[in-house]
Amino acid sequence: MEQLSDKKGILYIVPTPVGNMADITLRALEVLRSVDLVLAEDTRTTGNLLHHHGISAHLQAHHKYNEHNTVASLKEKISEGLSVALVSDAGTPGISDPGFLLARECAAAGIEVQTLPGATACIPAIVSSGLPCDRFCFEGFLPQKKGRQTRLRALAQEARTMVFYESPYRLVKTLEQFAEVFGGERPCSVAREISKIHEEHRRGSLVEVAQWYREHEPKGEIVIVVGGKEKTD
């Protein structure tokens, strides 16, 4: 009589480099080699990463446009014993990237979810900023339209250092809005192209840094770090 398998499926959340392809852990490479399926935000981007490290894996697209339609079937496959690694184009899935929904549904179903430590853009940006990093709040991408001003007004009273992601095309406008709501002298740092050849950190007041990028067109991935509101007696 055939013995039934007692294999248990696992969902691995695997960070991938935000720039330099060497910024990936040995454990992440081991997991990507061993799993049955790799869920990728963009299969071409992940395919290039896997090829760079000599890994052959079965890839399936998993992004914000299809995750609501596929999460149920993926959860079922993992519960039946499939081992799955979830990656985004760069950084840690779930941090301003797809990943939260599948991780939540698997955790709620009692499926083991293991998140590997690894690359993310926000931590190098805040540590390099020179601003207090013992306590901070991560805001990711602000709403582009509806709710944006409400969020900014609420953050004007935030005493912790704040971290935002932004597109280079909206950087100057965002810095100008920050200056208007938070005050132009509020300290900030803009980190660009973290871990890549042209990595740059531009520090100063919101007014000063906005002026710099009016005169020097920003390119690449952007992280904005803004000092919190100082306490007044």
Side-chain angles (χ1 to χ4, degrees):
M1 182 175 179
E2 183 179 353
Q3 185 176 2
L4 295 177
S5 171
D6 60 356
K7 178 184 178 184
K8 294 182 179 179
I10 297 178
L11 173 64
Y12 295 98
I13 310 296
V14 182
T16 54
V18 297
N20 192 313
M21 284 196 179
D23 291 336
I24 190 166
T25 68
L26 295 175
R27 184 182 172 207
L29 294 175
E30 179 183 343
V31 167
L32 292 172
R33 287 190 182 98
S34 66
V35 292
D36 300 308
L37 176 66
V38 176
L39 300 176
E41 185 178 6
D42 186 323
T43 55
R44 294 166 298 180
T45 300
T46 300
N48 289 336
L49 176 67
L50 296 179
H51 178 74
H52 178 81
H53 290 287
I55 298 173
S56 177
H58 179 54
L59 289 171
Q60 178 178 322
H62 183 82
H63 44 69
K64 64 180 180 179
Y65 301 107
N66 74 354
E67 61 179 346
H68 286 274
N69 297 324
T70 60
V71 65
S73 63
L74 287 169
K75 181 178 68 173
E76 182 178 354
K77 290 177 181 178
I78 298 171
S79 67
E80 292 174 350
L82 202 71
S83 60
V84 174
L86 173 65
V87 302
S88 61
D89 287 350
T92 301
I95 307 299
S96 294
D97 276 324
F100 162 72
L101 180 61
L102 183 59
R104 182 188 68 182
E105 294 301 309
C106 286
I111 296 169
E112 184 175 359
V113 178
Q114 291 188 15
T115 300
L116 279 61
T120 184
C122 64
I123 299 302
I126 189 171
V127 174
S128 297
S129 71
L131 294 169
C133 55
D134 54 335
R135 296 177 68 244
F136 63 91
C137 64
F138 175 74
E139 290 294 320
F141 288 99
L142 288 169
Q144 291 188 31
K145 295 181 180 179
K146 185 177 180 181
R148 186 179 180 91
Q149 287 300 319
T150 301
R151 179 78 63 82
L152 288 175
R153 286 193 294 269
L155 290 172
Q157 303 304 314
E158 175 59 65
R160 295 170 295 178
T161 301
M162 297 171 283
V163 185
F164 305 87
Y165 288 165
E166 189 52 282
S167 158
Y169 308 108
R170 295 191 298 267
L171 175 60
V172 171
K173 181 179 179 180
T174 295
L175 291 172
E176 290 172 344
Q177 289 177 328
F178 285 174
E180 180 181 347
V181 177
F182 302 157
E185 294 306 310
R186 187 78 71 93
C188 78
S189 172
V190 171
R192 189 178 66 81
E193 294 289 80
I194 288 174
S195 85
K196 298 181 182 178
I197 295 174
H198 300 294
E199 179 172 344
E200 174 186 72
H201 298 266
R202 183 62 50 181
R203 306 174 183 88
S205 70
L206 285 167
V207 168
E208 291 168 342
V209 177
Q211 182 60 39
W212 168 267
Y213 283 111
R214 285 191 205 97
E215 299 170 359
H216 303 82
E217 182 182 3
K219 297 179 181 179
E221 302 295 326
I222 301 290
V223 183
I224 308 173
V225 183
V226 182
K229 183 178 181 180
E230 292 187 1
K231 296 181 179 179
T232 55
D233 296 331

